[in-house]
C-alpha cells in the first residue's frame, strides 16, 4: 500500500470517529498534520528552519533541529518537528498558539533554510563526490547521481547503495545501463544517511606488438578481437599466432591461456601479442 493511500485511510477513519464523538477535536486536528503528499521534505536533525507568524514579527524564529528532533519556539517551548514535513509543523504550531490563547487566528509559515538532516553521501568515481540534501522524500537514485555529476569516464556501470531500512543494513548493487534500458524499474528511492559508491571500471591490459599498448576500460561482453581493435590492432611486426592472455584464477594464481578471437575477456586480463618471426 502506498504512503498516499495509507494517509487517506487514516484521515477517513479519524474523520468518522470525530463525527461519532469518539475522538476529540484536538485529535482530529492532529490527523491533519499527516503530510498530504508523499514527496514532502521531512525535517531531520541539523536542519535549520525559519518560522514566521503573520502579523506577529516578534515570533519570527530561526532554529536548528536538535538531534532529538525538537526546536525551541517562543511561548511554546520545545516543539517536536523531526520526521515531519514543513506543512505539518505549520499546522502544529498554529494549533498550539491557538489553544494556548497566544494568537487567535495564527497563520504560520515554516521554511527550511538549510537542509542537513537528510543527506546522501556520493563517493567514488563520480563527477562531484560529496554530501547532497534530499529536498523531497521521494528522490530517486538517478536524481542523486545526476546531481553529483554522473559517473566519471573511469567509473563502473554499477552503483553500490548502502543504507538502513527497517532497522536492517541494506546493500544493493544497481546496474545503471540496465536501469534505463528497462524503463527505470529499479530506480530505487534513497533515504537520509544512504551512501552511494561508484567503483573503478574493470580494466584490461594489452602489450606487445600492437599500435597502442596500455590499459583500457573493459566493456561488457568484450571479446579478444574487440580488445585488439581498442589497442589499434597489431602492428607490422605483430602476429595473431601464439596470442596469449595472462589472468588470475579464482585462487589468485597466474594462468596463461591461448584464446580464440571470439573468447570474452575478464577484468584485469593482460593480452600479449608476439612478434612475427617471418
Amino acid at each position: 500500500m502506498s504512503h498516499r493511500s495509507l494517509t487517506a485511510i487514516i484521515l477517513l477513519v479519524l474523520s468518522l470517529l470525530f463525527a461519532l464523538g469518539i475522538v476529540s477535536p484536538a485529535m482530529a486536528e492532529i490527523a491533519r498534520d499527516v503530510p498530504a503528499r508523499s514527496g514532502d521534505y521531512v525535517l531531520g536533525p541539523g536542519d535549520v528552519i525559519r518560522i514566521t507568524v503573520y502579523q506577529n514579527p516578534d515570533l519570527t524564529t530561526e532554529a536548528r533541529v536538535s538531534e532529538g528532533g525538537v526546536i525551541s519556539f517562543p511561548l511554546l517551548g520545545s516543539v517536536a518537528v523531526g520526521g515531519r514535513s514543513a506543512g505539518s509543523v505549520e499546522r502544529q504550531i498554529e494549533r498550539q498558539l491557538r489553544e494556548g490563547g497566544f494568537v487567535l487566528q495564527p497563520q504560520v509559515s515554516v521554511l527550511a533554510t538549510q537542509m542537513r538532516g537528510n543527506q546522501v553521501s556520493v563517493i567514488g568515481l563520480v563527477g562531484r563526490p560529496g554530501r547532497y540534501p534530499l529536498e523531497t522524500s521521494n528522490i530517486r537514485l538517478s536524481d542523486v547521481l545526476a546531481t553529483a555529476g554522473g559517473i566519471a569516464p573511469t567509473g563502473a556501470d554499477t552503483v553500490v547503495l548502502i543504507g538502513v531500512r527497517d532497522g536492517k543494513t541494506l546493500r544493493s548493487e544497481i546496474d545503471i545501463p540496465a536501469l534505463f534500458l528497462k524503463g527505470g524499474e529499479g530506480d530505487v528511492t534513497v533515504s537520509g544517511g544512504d551512501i552511494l559508491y561508484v567503483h573503478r571500471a574493470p580494466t584490461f591490459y594489452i602489450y606487445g606488438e600492437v599500435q597502442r599498448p596500455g590499459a583500457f576500460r573493459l566493456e561488457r561482453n568484450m571479446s579478444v578481437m574487440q580488445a585488439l581493435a581498442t589497442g589499434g590492432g597489431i602492428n607490422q611486426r605483430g602476429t595473431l599466432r601464439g596470442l596469449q592472455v595472462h589472468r588470475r584464477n579464482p585462487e589468485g594464481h597466474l594462468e596463461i591461456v591461448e584464446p580464440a578471437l571470439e573468447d570474452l575477456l575478464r577484468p584485469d586480463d593482460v593480452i600479449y601479442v608476439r612478434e612475427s618471426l617471418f
Side-chain angles (χ1 to χ4, degrees):
M1 181 180 295
S2 67
H3 175 87
R4 185 172 297 178
S5 300
L6 182 60
T7 299
I9 293 173
I10 292 173
L11 292 175
L12 177 60
V13 171
L14 286 173
S15 298
L16 291 173
L17 293 176
F18 172 62
L20 295 174
I22 297 176
V23 299
S24 65
M27 182 65 73
E29 184 76 13
I30 291 174
R32 287 192 286 273
D33 282 345
V34 178
R37 295 173 298 175
S38 61
D40 287 348
Y41 175 76
V42 176
L43 298 173
D47 286 345
V48 177
I49 59 177
R50 182 177 177 84
I51 305 172
T52 56
V53 182
Y54 181 63
Q55 292 187 339
N56 289 270
D58 54 321
L59 294 180
T60 298
T61 302
E62 188 165 284
R64 184 181 301 274
V65 182
S66 71
E67 289 299 321
V70 300
I71 62 167
S72 179
F73 188 77
L75 304 178
L76 303 181
S78 296
V79 178
V81 300
R84 311 183 70 174
S85 69
S88 174
V89 174
E90 289 173 354
R91 293 187 289 273
Q92 175 188 358
I93 294 177
E94 287 174 353
R95 183 180 66 253
Q96 291 184 258
L97 289 173
R98 184 170 55 251
E99 292 177 351
F102 304 116
V103 182
L104 293 180
Q105 293 182 332
Q107 297 181 34
V108 177
S109 173
V110 175
L111 175 66
T113 58
Q114 296 182 31
M115 292 173 287
R116 297 179 178 175
N118 294 295
Q119 293 186 328
V120 173
S121 298
V122 185
I123 58 178
L125 294 172
V126 294
R128 295 183 297 275
R131 301 186 68 191
Y132 295 90
L134 300 178
E135 298 180 358
T136 62
S137 62
N138 59 354
I139 290 184
R140 301 284 179 177
L141 181 142
S142 59
D143 297 326
V144 178
L145 200 59
T147 303
I151 297 176
T154 54
D157 290 337
T158 57
V159 175
V160 178
L161 169 64
I162 300 174
V164 177
R165 300 291 188 275
D166 300 323
K168 298 180 180 179
T169 301
L170 167 72
R171 185 188 184 281
S172 177
E173 293 190 13
I174 295 91
D175 188 324
I176 300 302
L179 176 70
F180 293 102
L181 291 174
K182 295 180 180 179
E185 295 177 1
D187 197 2
V188 298
T189 302
V190 295
S191 300
D194 283 355
I195 299 174
L196 304 182
Y197 171 66
V198 179
H199 191 55
R200 176 180 65 87
T203 306
F204 75 92
Y205 306 84
I206 184 170
Y207 77 107
E209 302 302 330
V210 291
Q211 300 290 347
R212 294 191 304 273
F216 301 93
R217 180 190 180 99
L218 179 64
E219 303 295 344
R220 298 189 181 197
N221 300 320
M222 176 177 271
S223 67
V224 173
M225 181 180 291
Q226 290 171 324
L228 288 171
T230 302
I234 61 175
N235 59 31
Q236 293 180 349
R237 297 189 303 272
T239 178
L240 292 177
R241 292 183 179 181
L243 188 69
Q244 294 180 345
V245 170
H246 300 237
R247 66 167 53 123
R248 297 282 179 181
N249 61 22
E251 290 74 33
H253 299 135
L254 182 65
E255 294 181 341
I256 300 177
V257 297
E258 295 188 3
L261 292 177
E262 63 272 15
D263 287 352
L264 300 183
L265 286 180
R266 301 177 187 176
D268 298 322
D269 276 356
V270 180
I271 302 174
Y272 172 58
V273 179
R274 294 178 178 273
E275 181 180 3
S276 175
L277 299 178
F278 304 99

